Amino acid sequence: MKSTELETTDQMDQVEYHPIPDPGVEEHVERWTDVNQHAANRAARQVIMMLGLSMLCSLAFVVIYFAVDKREVLNFGPLHSNAQTTLLGLTGGLAVLLIGFSCIHWAKQLMNDEEVVDVRHPIASTPEDQAEMAEAWQAGVSDSGIGRRKVIGGMLAGAAGLVAIPAVVTLADMGPHPGKGTRAATIEKTVWAEGVKLVNDITYKPIKASDMETGQLVNAEPEVLEHLMHEDPVAYQRAKAKAALIIVRMDPSSIKVPESRKDWQVNGILAYSKICTHVGCPISLWEQKSHHLLCPCHQSTFDLGDSGLVVFGPAARALPQLPITTDAEGYLIAKSDFTVPVGPSYFERDSRNDFRKGDN
């Protein structure tokens, strides 16, 4: 079909706004389906075929949902997949995909191929329009009498400003105000306390210092969480998110223990928060020889042999260390809660007490 160029009187009147001449529309090249009826019929059959296959896939989806056992597994060599989930995803995805392909093929090969130029007027108003608008504005201000009734103008401005306050006040429903007291009682506090036993996070068995081997890493949590898990699952998840630990045992002669933390460890056994200080990912990728702990999310690396200091990556603070000791039976217990908040930073966090290189 032939190209059509639309020209208007406005276009001719606004020539001065177009310093670059209009190149016009390129010569139109006819599609093969526009000049060959057999090609057009073939394209139509292809569209119909794709839509038909889409309907078959949709019906197959329903049949698979009811006919395939949810416990059946498909084996692809070393890979295994649930049969129903795989087939449902395959048929449902193809049904949608074929509709999309058919619509694209229809539009490109069979729909109208006319090319039209839509002439756009300049974005800026003409000086005459701007002057007319300013005149109308001044007339409106004069008619309102606001110049003579300044009290009404002031009250209108005050009412318009104060009407936003109710919307701001409702933001209080988003949760408690994060004041210093609220932070100290929530995000800056964990369930660790003096005498709380360190237990394995899977078996909940207490961890004996003498059972840990040099180079070993154990994922741990406080013993009190076992009871909380059954009593209040929500509180359990919140507490575990902050109290999760990693316990490592290293050769005391190969690590640096500052004077201020001499009594925070037991013969080379140290406990650190499992929560990365970058964005809060759980970490347990342990390299025994270098004493480094790597976060899998953004590769922050902490030296557990040197007070958990950051040696690589985006984390800005050392891992918080939990002071530990042993009870009369030799089991590891906490001496207190963490001395600094665990997890990533936040605006109100006071980082002055965080351990830094060179501290004793």
Side-chain angles (χ1 to χ4, degrees):
M1 295 185 181
K2 296 182 179 180
S3 302
T4 303
E5 183 175 0
L6 302 180
E7 295 184 353
T8 65
T9 304
D10 288 342
Q11 181 187 22
M12 303 303 295
D13 292 340
Q14 301 295 338
V15 173
E16 65 272 15
Y17 288 95
H18 301 281
I20 300 176
D22 186 354
V25 183
E26 295 180 358
E27 182 182 356
H28 182 72
V29 179
E30 299 286 353
R31 297 178 305 190
W32 180 238
T33 51
D34 291 334
V35 298
N36 187 296
Q37 188 59 41
H38 292 294
N41 293 338
R42 183 169 59 251
R45 288 194 298 270
Q46 292 168 347
V47 171
I48 293 171
M49 181 182 66
M50 285 189 281
L51 291 174
L53 288 174
S54 173
M55 290 189 286
L56 290 176
C57 288
S58 297
L59 294 174
F61 183 99
V62 177
V63 173
I64 291 167
Y65 183 83
F66 291 103
V68 178
D69 191 339
K70 294 182 179 180
R71 295 167 294 182
E72 190 172 343
V73 176
L74 293 176
N75 297 312
F76 304 97
L79 303 177
H80 310 283
S81 175
N82 179 276
Q84 189 190 66
T85 302
T86 302
L87 294 175
L88 289 178
L90 185 64
T91 53
L94 282 175
V96 176
L97 192 66
L98 286 167
I99 292 176
F101 282 167
S102 66
C103 290
I104 294 172
H105 196 52
W106 183 9
K108 285 183 172 294
Q109 300 299 330
L110 299 173
M111 287 186 180
N112 191 1
D113 193 33
E114 181 180 359
E115 296 177 358
V116 179
V117 175
D118 184 9
V119 180
R120 298 183 180 181
H121 60 76
I123 296 177
S125 300
T126 62
E128 294 78 9
D129 290 339
Q130 295 176 15
E132 184 179 350
M133 178 60 194
E135 185 179 347
W137 172 264
Q138 291 298 330
V141 171
S142 178
D143 291 342
S144 70
I146 196 170
R148 293 179 289 107
R149 303 184 185 277
K150 298 185 183 300
V151 174
I152 293 179
M155 294 299 291
L156 176 61
L162 290 177
V163 77
I165 293 181
V168 175
V169 169
T170 56
L171 296 177
D173 284 341
M174 295 180 66
H177 179 69
K180 187 175 182 180
T182 302
R183 297 196 305 272
T186 54
I187 60 176
E188 295 182 357
K189 177 180 174 59
T190 74
V191 294
W192 288 110
E194 184 178 2
V196 175
K197 282 187 177 180
L198 283 63
V199 298
N200 184 285
D201 69 341
I202 301 297
T203 63
Y204 288 97
K205 292 183 178 180
I207 300 169
K208 210 166 192 175
S210 59
D211 292 339
M212 289 200 63
E213 300 178 358
T214 301
Q216 184 180 6
L217 179 145
V218 176
N219 292 292
E221 59 186 43
E223 185 180 34
V224 294
L225 286 187
E226 184 177 9
H227 306 291
L228 192 60
M229 176 173 56
H230 304 290
E231 296 172 359
D232 190 342
V234 174
Y236 163 77
Q237 292 293 345
R238 290 174 178 171
K240 184 175 183 178
K242 296 184 293 181
L245 275 188
I246 49 171
I247 310 170
V248 292
R249 182 162 200 165
M250 297 171 281
D251 183 355
S253 63
S254 66
I255 61 177
K256 300 176 182 178
V257 180
E259 193 64 34
S260 60
R261 299 189 177 190
K262 288 289 186 182
D263 58 349
W264 286 23
Q265 50 92 29
V266 179
N267 297 324
I269 301 175
L270 301 97
Y272 291 93
S273 170
K274 186 183 174 71
I275 311 304
C276 181
T277 57
H278 178 218
V279 291
C281 297
I283 38 180
S284 59
L285 298 178
W286 169 237
E287 211 293 311
Q288 295 183 10
K289 292 184 178 180
S290 64
H291 302 156
H292 289 173
L293 189 73
L294 174 69
C295 177
C297 294
H298 306 99
Q299 287 69 59
S300 293
T301 307
F302 305 88
D303 188 353
L304 302 191
D306 190 5
S307 305
L309 292 171
V310 181
V311 294
F312 180 78
R317 297 185 294 106
L319 274 182
Q321 183 178 351
L322 182 72
I324 60 172
T325 185
T326 56
D327 61 11
E329 298 177 332
Y331 291 105
L332 296 174
I333 60 173
K335 297 185 67 175
S336 67
D337 195 357
F338 288 98
T339 58
V340 295
V342 301
S345 299
Y346 45 90
F347 287 116
E348 304 88 354
R349 191 185 188 287
D350 185 354
S351 299
R352 289 177 294 180
N353 294 323
D354 290 330
F355 191 85
R356 295 175 176 82
K357 193 172 184 63
D359 291 351
N360 295 319

